[in-house]
Amino acid sequence: MTVQITARQFHEADGVEDWRSLYHLVSAHFRTGSLAEGIALVDEIGQLASDDEQRYLSVDLRHAGVTVSLSRRDIELARQISAAARALDIPADPTAVQLINVTLDVLVSAKVLPFWRALLGYREIGDTYLADPARRGPGFGLQKMEAARPQRNRMHLDIAVPHDQAEARIAAALAAGGHLVSEAHAPMWWVLADAEGNEACVATWVGRE
């Protein structure tokens, strides 16, 4: 298994000026003027990256640009991707790079992490962090607090799922230590909570027509 270099080691290397470290990732955003330009860059990246490298590479293609992320700080691959973008006259824009995490304050991580893992359909990384295996949604972390806050949450998560998967997702969350707060608006949405009362809604399209 390849040892992950540090963010400092990555940024001290030459040829990675387009890239920025964001927690465990390095990412670069390349501004394009059309999907066609973006597709051309993605095609080049597909030819550059080996099968092994593609396992830790993700690409987000939009009309306005292409965001490339590497979960391994691979200096050489980053250089090659930047070179491919320059050859296509597609500029990098480091100001457009970001990574969003949702962090929840909890008393006991072990009591609530299984609930959120089941509810989000995420995979566990360590004892306090969940990640989207498809790399679509934000990371979800738990942070220890010293005393309970009895007031109702001022924030909750909405998880939109396919209508035919909602009951299975809810059942998994309940089996993982959660409880049903309300189904008054089901099947548009159900309100659930983890063992410490932190709420989330499972939502579907049904009833929104």
Side-chain angles (χ1 to χ4, degrees):
M1 180 177 177
T2 302
V3 176
Q4 174 83 300
I5 65 172
T6 67
R8 182 179 297 278
Q9 288 172 319
F10 180 86
H11 283 291
E12 286 177 346
D14 293 328
V16 296
E17 293 78 14
D18 296 339
W19 299 77
R20 297 294 184 273
S21 292
L22 305 168
Y23 296 125
H24 58 290
L25 299 175
V26 290
S27 295
H29 181 82
F30 301 96
R31 292 283 183 196
T32 60
S34 67
L35 275 177
E37 286 187 11
I39 290 168
L41 176 57
V42 172
D43 183 59
E44 288 294 321
I45 293 170
Q47 295 181 52
L48 287 170
S50 67
D51 289 344
D52 180 60
E53 290 168 336
Q54 290 180 20
R55 296 178 189 276
Y56 56 83
L57 180 152
S58 62
V59 177
D60 185 309
L61 170 65
R62 308 291 174 98
H63 172 271
V66 176
T67 301
V68 187
S69 298
L70 306 173
S71 58
R72 184 186 299 169
R73 299 184 185 104
D74 187 328
I75 293 169
E76 186 55 35
L77 182 57
R79 287 170 175 160
Q80 292 174 358
I81 292 170
S82 289
R86 286 194 300 273
L88 293 169
D89 200 26
I90 299 175
D93 181 4
T95 67
V97 173
Q98 68 176 16
L99 176 64
I100 297 174
N101 280 330
V102 176
T103 303
L104 181 68
D105 293 339
V106 299
L107 291 170
V108 183
S109 298
K111 289 177 64 177
V112 301
L113 192 67
F115 168 85
W116 292 102
R117 181 178 63 233
L119 188 67
L120 294 170
Y122 276 18
R123 64 184 178 91
E124 191 171 333
I125 300 177
D127 298 328
T128 60
Y129 190 78
L130 300 171
D132 182 354
R135 303 179 187 178
R136 295 167 302 191
F140 186 86
L142 302 178
Q143 180 171 287
K144 183 173 176 56
M145 61 180 177
E146 298 305 319
R149 302 186 192 123
Q151 69 270 27
R152 187 180 186 276
N153 292 22
R154 297 189 67 182
M155 181 197 78
H156 71 271
L157 297 186
D158 290 325
I159 301 98
V161 301
H163 68 282
D164 55 355
Q165 299 298 314
E167 291 186 7
R169 183 68 65 91
I170 291 166
L174 297 179
H179 64 273
L180 182 67
V181 175
S182 173
E183 55 183 350
H185 299 281
M188 238 189 317
W189 77 82
W190 293 256
V191 183
L192 289 80
D194 67 17
E196 294 185 3
N198 302 298
E199 295 182 2
C201 294
V202 174
T204 77
W205 63 267
V206 180
R208 300 176 188 273
E209 304 93 327

PDB file of all heavy atoms in Angstrom, residues 106-107 144-150:
ATOM      1  N   VAL A 106     -21.736  16.004  19.516  1.00  0.00           N
ATOM      2  CA  VAL A 106     -22.368  14.874  20.205  1.00  0.00           C
ATOM      3  C   VAL A 106     -21.656  14.607  21.525  1.00  0.00           C
ATOM      4  O   VAL A 106     -20.521  15.042  21.747  1.00  0.00           O
ATOM      5  CB  VAL A 106     -22.336  13.590  19.345  1.00  0.00           C
ATOM      6  CG1 VAL A 106     -23.089  13.790  18.047  1.00  0.00           C
ATOM      7  CG2 VAL A 106     -20.908  13.149  19.073  1.00  0.00           C
ATOM      8  N   LEU A 107     -22.340  13.874  22.403  1.00  0.00           N
ATOM      9  CA  LEU A 107     -21.739  13.477  23.675  1.00  0.00           C
ATOM     10  C   LEU A 107     -20.924  12.198  23.524  1.00  0.00           C
ATOM     11  O   LEU A 107     -19.799  12.104  23.995  1.00  0.00           O
ATOM     12  CB  LEU A 107     -22.828  13.278  24.734  1.00  0.00           C
ATOM     13  CG  LEU A 107     -23.553  14.546  25.194  1.00  0.00           C
ATOM     14  CD1 LEU A 107     -24.759  14.176  26.045  1.00  0.00           C
ATOM     15  CD2 LEU A 107     -22.604  15.454  25.969  1.00  0.00           C
ATOM     16  N   LYS A 144     -16.933  16.008  19.689  1.00  0.00           N
ATOM     17  CA  LYS A 144     -17.365  15.798  21.066  1.00  0.00           C
ATOM     18  C   LYS A 144     -17.684  17.117  21.761  1.00  0.00           C
ATOM     19  O   LYS A 144     -16.940  18.087  21.660  1.00  0.00           O
ATOM     20  CB  LYS A 144     -16.284  15.056  21.856  1.00  0.00           C
ATOM     21  CG  LYS A 144     -16.692  14.734  23.294  1.00  0.00           C
ATOM     22  CD  LYS A 144     -15.671  13.856  23.974  1.00  0.00           C
ATOM     23  CE  LYS A 144     -16.024  13.631  25.431  1.00  0.00           C
ATOM     24  NZ  LYS A 144     -17.372  13.060  25.605  1.00  0.00           N
ATOM     25  N   MET A 145     -18.819  17.140  22.478  1.00  0.00           N
ATOM     26  CA  MET A 145     -19.142  18.269  23.349  1.00  0.00           C
ATOM     27  C   MET A 145     -19.170  17.756  24.790  1.00  0.00           C
ATOM     28  O   MET A 145     -19.341  16.561  25.041  1.00  0.00           O
ATOM     29  CB  MET A 145     -20.473  18.905  22.955  1.00  0.00           C
ATOM     30  CG  MET A 145     -21.684  18.020  23.048  1.00  0.00           C
ATOM     31  SD  MET A 145     -23.185  18.901  22.548  1.00  0.00           S
ATOM     32  CE  MET A 145     -24.399  17.590  22.678  1.00  0.00           C
ATOM     33  N   GLU A 146     -18.997  18.650  25.729  1.00  0.00           N
ATOM     34  CA  GLU A 146     -18.860  18.248  27.124  1.00  0.00           C
ATOM     35  C   GLU A 146     -20.194  18.132  27.856  1.00  0.00           C
ATOM     36  O   GLU A 146     -20.311  17.400  28.827  1.00  0.00           O
ATOM     37  CB  GLU A 146     -17.961  19.243  27.865  1.00  0.00           C
ATOM     38  CG  GLU A 146     -16.545  19.302  27.307  1.00  0.00           C
ATOM     39  CD  GLU A 146     -15.870  17.935  27.282  1.00  0.00           C
ATOM     40  OE1 GLU A 146     -16.034  17.171  28.248  1.00  0.00           O
ATOM     41  OE2 GLU A 146     -15.187  17.640  26.281  1.00  0.00           O
ATOM     42  N   ALA A 147     -21.209  18.865  27.395  1.00  0.00           N
ATOM     43  CA  ALA A 147     -22.508  18.836  28.085  1.00  0.00           C
ATOM     44  C   ALA A 147     -23.618  18.887  27.051  1.00  0.00           C
ATOM     45  O   ALA A 147     -23.474  19.482  25.979  1.00  0.00           O
ATOM     46  CB  ALA A 147     -22.626  20.016  29.042  1.00  0.00           C
ATOM     47  N   ALA A 148     -24.731  18.242  27.400  1.00  0.00           N
ATOM     48  CA  ALA A 148     -25.881  18.202  26.488  1.00  0.00           C
ATOM     49  C   ALA A 148     -26.493  19.586  26.334  1.00  0.00           C
ATOM     50  O   ALA A 148     -26.444  20.414  27.257  1.00  0.00           O
ATOM     51  CB  ALA A 148     -26.920  17.227  27.010  1.00  0.00           C
ATOM     52  N   ARG A 149     -27.077  19.833  25.168  1.00  0.00           N
ATOM     53  CA  ARG A 149     -27.829  21.056  24.921  1.00  0.00           C
ATOM     54  C   ARG A 149     -29.286  20.670  24.767  1.00  0.00           C
ATOM     55  O   ARG A 149     -29.675  20.087  23.751  1.00  0.00           O
ATOM     56  CB  ARG A 149     -27.315  21.741  23.658  1.00  0.00           C
ATOM     57  CG  ARG A 149     -25.845  22.087  23.721  1.00  0.00           C
ATOM     58  CD  ARG A 149     -25.420  22.904  22.516  1.00  0.00           C
ATOM     59  NE  ARG A 149     -23.958  22.977  22.472  1.00  0.00           N
ATOM     60  CZ  ARG A 149     -23.237  22.577  21.435  1.00  0.00           C
ATOM     61  NH1 ARG A 149     -23.820  22.070  20.372  1.00  0.00           N
ATOM     62  NH2 ARG A 149     -21.927  22.686  21.462  1.00  0.00           N
ATOM     63  N   PRO A 150     -30.122  20.955  25.753  1.00  0.00           N
ATOM     64  CA  PRO A 150     -31.495  20.444  25.740  1.00  0.00           C
ATOM     65  C   PRO A 150     -32.420  21.085  24.720  1.00  0.00           C
ATOM     66  O   PRO A 150     -33.465  20.549  24.393  1.00  0.00           O
ATOM     67  CB  PRO A 150     -31.978  20.735  27.162  1.00  0.00           C
ATOM     68  CG  PRO A 150     -31.143  21.899  27.613  1.00  0.00           C
ATOM     69  CD  PRO A 150     -29.797  21.693  26.983  1.00  0.00           C
TER      70      PRO A 150
END
